[in-house]
Amino acid sequence: MKPPVRVLLVGAAGRMGKTIVDLAKDDTNIEIVAQCDIGDAIGSAVKKSDVVIDFSHPDAIDGICRSALQDQRPLVIGTTGHSAEQRAAIERAAQSVPVVFASNFSAGVNVLFAVARNTAETLGAEFNVEIVETHHQMKKDAPSGTAKTLAAILREARNANDEISIQSIREGNVVGEHTVIFSGPGERLEMTHRAASREIFARGALRAARWIIGKPTGLYSMQDVLGL
Ligand code: NAD
């Protein structure tokens, strides 16, 4: 049997961090060997790990990239809301280590990405496209990273220059809902993904952490991990 993949988890005290720790307890292929949160030095923790999983805050990314590059460790980045500069830092890091960077680690959402792309290509610019996303009130960024990714996929697939409208709703305890609405002459098509629990993201992140070990340097998406 292969030894478990040793993970440094950044953002360990947060909602996603705790979900990952809980899920990993039942996963014999994963061992969380270090947990860091705000104020912790990650340099020495990186050395103990095979891979770094980040679900924290965009401002953590420079330190994470620096340590991962220094010790040549792959990265699985789930944090959303990075600035253009912070995204550029991730892209630079991916020139030296393998990086999975995904705004949504759920298998279902990644299938939605693939199906929405195909649908937009088939329906073309004659159909108007809108996105509606709903999340709990604690979510810091709006629109969600997933909605932005969907919009980028749809813009490219439709080959049209108009902006895709994203409506963001923040209410209650909603874990995450994304609907793509295609409105054409005389018909309307809606596709919705509803996340029932954060576990789906944690499950995907652990799958990505196992997958990325031994991969060549580069920037990968969750669609790459799932082979979509
Ligand atoms: P949270 O606020 O519950 O947890 C974030 C944790 O990060 C906190 O414990 C906080 O103390 C810590 N933190 C803040 N700044 C830090 C720093 N500089 N260094 C280390 N730790 C730091 O948030 P959450 O709901 O767990 O979400 C975390 C991130 O993951 C957010 O960006 C969220 O949008 C994203 N997210 C992504 C996915 C996905 O599938 N990609 C799914 C859910 C959430």
Side-chain angles (χ1 to χ4, degrees):
M1 214 175 85
K2 278 205 285 189
V5 172
R6 297 170 304 162
V7 171
L8 159 59
L9 180 60
V10 184
R15 284 173 292 248
M16 275 306 300
K18 287 181 186 152
T19 309
I20 289 175
V21 169
D22 281 348
L23 197 66
K25 282 182 192 150
D26 297 326
D27 189 338
T28 52
N29 298 306
I30 294 281
E31 189 184 352
I32 309 280
V33 290
Q35 301 184 26
C36 291
D37 205 89
I38 194 158
D40 296 334
I42 62 172
S44 56
V46 166
K47 290 188 199 310
K48 295 193 257 183
S49 69
D50 301 313
V51 54
V52 180
I53 300 182
D54 166 37
F55 279 87
S56 61
H57 186 279
D59 291 349
I61 199 64
D62 286 336
I64 291 171
C65 286
R66 213 177 308 119
S67 298
L69 290 181
Q70 199 168 4
D71 289 299
Q72 288 293 293
R73 295 297 194 273
L75 289 173
V76 172
I77 302 171
T79 302
T80 63
H82 296 100
S83 67
E85 273 170 34
Q86 289 166 334
R87 291 180 75 90
I90 294 170
E91 281 161 23
R92 273 196 308 279
Q95 290 169 9
S96 304
V97 293
V99 178
V100 177
F101 183 29
S103 59
N104 194 310
F105 277 90
S106 111
V109 160
N110 282 276
V111 170
L112 173 65
F113 288 161
V115 173
R117 180 193 299 279
N118 284 345
T119 307
E121 277 168 4
T122 306
L123 297 179
E126 208 182 24
F127 278 65
N128 186 49
V129 185
E130 285 169 78
I131 297 168
V132 181
E133 58 100 348
T134 308
H135 283 87
H136 55 90
Q137 288 158 326
M138 306 292 284
K139 183 160 177 67
K140 297 194 178 75
D141 51 330
S144 69
T146 303
K148 287 194 217 165
T149 304
L150 255 177
I153 289 171
L154 291 164
R155 243 191 322 272
E156 193 194 304
R158 289 173 78 231
N159 208 4
N161 288 327
D162 52 337
E163 268 309 300
I164 291 168
S165 117
I166 305 178
Q167 193 188 341
S168 298
I169 300 164
R170 295 288 172 264
E171 65 181 21
N173 294 322
V174 180
V175 175
E177 294 185 3
H178 292 87
T179 298
V180 185
I181 305 164
F182 295 90
S183 321
E187 58 184 331
R188 183 179 163 94
L189 172 61
E190 297 188 6
M191 298 172 184
T192 297
H193 177 273
R194 292 194 177 91
S197 136
R198 283 187 187 87
E199 218 180 278
I200 58 170
F201 311 123
R203 208 172 282 287
L206 293 181
R207 183 168 174 167
R210 291 194 302 270
W211 178 87
I212 203 168
I213 302 297
K215 288 285 176 300
T217 291
L219 190 58
Y220 299 97
S221 68
M222 193 57 193
Q223 299 199 48
D224 295 319
V225 174
L226 295 171
L228 286 167

